[in-house]
Amino acid sequence: MAYSRSSRLFGAMGACAAFAVALTAGLLAGADPAAAHSAAHSAPASGTRVQPDRVSPRQLPKEPVMTGSGGAVSSVDRDASQVGINVLAHGGNAADAAVATAAALGVTEPYSAGIGGGGFMLYYDARSGRVSTLDGRETAPASYNSTIFTNPDGTPMDFNTVVNSGRSIGVPGTPALWAKAASQFGTMSLSSLLRPAQTLAARGFTVDQTFHDQTAQNAQRFAKFPATAKTFLPGGQPPAVGSTFRNPDMAKAYAELRRDGVSSLYRGRLAQAIISEADAPHTAAGVTVTGGKLTASDLADYQALNRNPIHSDYQGLDVYGMPVPSSGGIAVAETLNLLTAYQERTGARLSALTNAEYLHYFSEATATAFADRNRYVGDVPGVPAPELTSQQFADERACTFDPARAQDRPIPFGSPDGTYTGCTGTGSMLRQPYEGASTSHLVVADRWGNVTSYTLTIEQTGGSAITVPGWGFLLNNELTDFDFVPLKPGVPDPNLPGPDKRPRSSMSPTIVLSHGHPYLALGSPGGATIITTVSQVLTEYLDRDASLVAAIAAPRLSSRNGAAEQAEPALLNSPDGATLTRLGHSLVLPPAPPEIGAAVGIRILAPNLFTAAAETVRRGGGSAMVVKPGR
Ligand code: GLU
């Protein structure tokens, strides 16, 4: 590594010193230093019944940042974060709390998360010191082939028509992921972890502006499906801000999963209900949509999978991310490697650059990483992940970087072939695939040192708009994450649909370790912008000396190798925006609301001492909590 650590990274090394301070101060409740040390390294094993913490959980306010001990949760929603805090306070670990929080998000964020969708989880286990992953991505039916979304004349089918149809619905992976997370990493039964969500669905939650607006934006397509209109447009209208929204059908679905286990959704009554609705959706008078092709064996064969995480080194920190079928871990790692290479080439550290210069470096790195991910990453054998995430590949790709001028877009893809002697990047240029901007992310850290970073989705806000009648949950439209036709004729496209295939994702749950200790966990929703958001928050925090909540709040730039780059208004309309334009960046606002992502993170300051952080403004602000506020 050519550079010594930035001041922030010296801070990371300082975590060890803080650890010592924490031990001396006895920050672990009622513990002497030796007990504190052993508690930090003796998380309860899976299946172990743990004694509830003596602290009774408090109702915590909705805040974007909170520091304290006993465990931490950050999500977009207050009710969901509180559910996770309650689980931690009653002795659950980071996996238990993540499953319970996610189930609650299924109730309060039903357009972004829920049992009709999928997602990816990273888990750091304090006992083994290892990061594991769970892939709960949806799968295509076994009958799908590469032309399932192609018209007879070879053109792609109309995107929105496919979204709002049974064709876009993949086998849900979220329930299988929850079951596996609870049994492999957790200490509590899945049934007990789903109880708070069931109660929340039955008793209801207070409608906020975001829930109201998301319903209103989707009202037209929701009205096409009677079960969706009945559930989410009570009285034919989006629920009013401040009213109580109940979903008794969803409470019934959670009760079913608690009683019969997730096998109900893969082999039982819920499976039957999903297949019937996906393959022959009930529609309003005069509306016809194409049915899906899900079969009983598509659902029965589904499995959430353990996969090896993507690992990279960024300035001495170990950064872990999600592997294929997500492109998130690979693209974040390549972005960070490119930034390292640019700094070596120019001799200028990110910490020493102006904000506009930093964003220029950042934009060039993410655009390059997207050129490579679009060409090479998908749910196919032989993805060159080790090469794409190697520093040598990034060093070669950095040869076209110019600190004084933006490279022409699209940047050609590189050659991750293991031989890095020249300045390649002569591959064909590819147009950008479509991806939505929805989803939800949550992070949890517990007092034993375990950490979870988990992104879950039903793809678009409102998914396919098809609700399973009588069960109150929306089905995903995840299969529209496949490319409908090859991005460029004659160039292999790893993300075409196929039998049992998982569509490529951008979800980037991330865990960072420093000297083998958990240091930071973060993630964001936002489709393809997830990769740029996670990379930006990481570098704003690690290199630019922002606090975590400020790194999350910073105006975002999302450069994904298209002709134009999305910049939030606070950046686009600023002197930095003007400087970027002068450097050759073509900035445009993101679609309304003009926001990019909705990140959450937890900085593990010392064993059992956390700062949880969330959005201050985006999506109405997030909810960061700790079990025992205060240092
Ligand atoms: N389907 C997207 C992905 O897997 C996530 C959905 C979104 O955030 O819009 O990357």
Side-chain angles (χ1 to χ4, degrees), residues 242-255:
S243 64
T244 299
F245 182 82
R246 295 184 183 84
N247 190 339
D249 288 351
M250 190 183 284
K252 206 177 99 192
Y254 278 119

Side-chain angles (χ1 to χ4, degrees), residues 30 52 93 108 120 122 125 156 169 234 254 262 307 332 340 348 362 431 466 487 508 542:
N93 73 7
T108 58
F120 298 101
L122 251 66
D125 176 63
I169 301 171
Y254 278 119
V262 297
R307 297 189 186 270
V332 169
T340 298
F362 175 69
R431 71 181 166 78
I466 298 173
L487 289 182
S508 309
L542 297 174

Side-chain angles (χ1 to χ4, degrees), residues 137 435-439 457 459 478 481 505-507 525-527 530:
R137 186 68 160 170
E435 270 180 68
S438 175
T439 306
T457 187
E459 214 308 274
E478 213 71 55
D481 271 1
S505 171
S506 297
M507 290 189 267
I530 293 171

